[in-house]
Amino acid sequence: MAAVRRLTGDDHLSHEFATTWPTYDLDAKTKTLLSYASKLTETPSLVGEEDIKVLADAGWNEKAIWEMSALISFFNYSGRLEAASGLPQDKIPEGARLAEAGKD
């Protein structure tokens, strides 16, 4: 979310951004990525070669397209797993001790 806050200049950006992003003044390359993310999330069976071509035409290279597809898919998977297990969305269970990235 920090990267999205940096892109939009909105330090108080919330999860509603997932549905309100079209109202933000974002560059075309970013809008293309977000449009693809929405389609891959909402109607994954409709994603095809034309979608990849649109991303490439917007300036995304093959590696970036693969990485964004993997990340979008992973977050969709983890969100659905949270929903199926009854965990509250985007909440860390009380008492969980998770290692901080970059810390030993």
Side-chain angles (χ1 to χ4, degrees):
M1 190 60 110
V4 176
R5 287 186 179 118
R6 190 172 56 252
L7 277 172
T8 62
D10 185 346
D11 291 335
H12 304 288
L13 196 64
S14 67
H15 292 291
E16 285 81 31
F17 180 77
T19 57
T20 62
W21 66 265
T23 66
Y24 283 79
D25 184 25
L26 302 170
D27 63 90
K29 187 175 180 182
T30 301
K31 284 186 175 185
T32 303
L33 162 63
L34 294 173
S35 180
Y36 173 71
S38 293
K39 186 172 183 179
L40 185 56
T41 298
E42 296 167 7
T43 54
S45 65
L46 300 181
V47 172
E49 289 298 319
E50 182 59 29
D51 298 293
I52 304 307
K53 182 179 180 335
V54 168
L55 288 166
D57 290 347
W60 295 102
N61 66 35
E62 189 175 311
K63 181 179 179 190
I65 294 169
W66 187 92
E67 288 177 353
M68 72 177 70
S69 297
L71 285 170
I72 294 162
S73 298
F74 172 77
F75 281 105
N76 281 323
Y77 162 77
S78 65
R80 288 178 174 103
L81 184 61
E82 284 176 347
S85 66
L87 289 173
Q89 195 172 22
D90 297 324
K91 302 278 186 202
I92 297 173
E94 190 174 328
R97 295 198 167 280
L98 304 174
E100 188 175 333
K103 303 276 183 174
D104 292 329

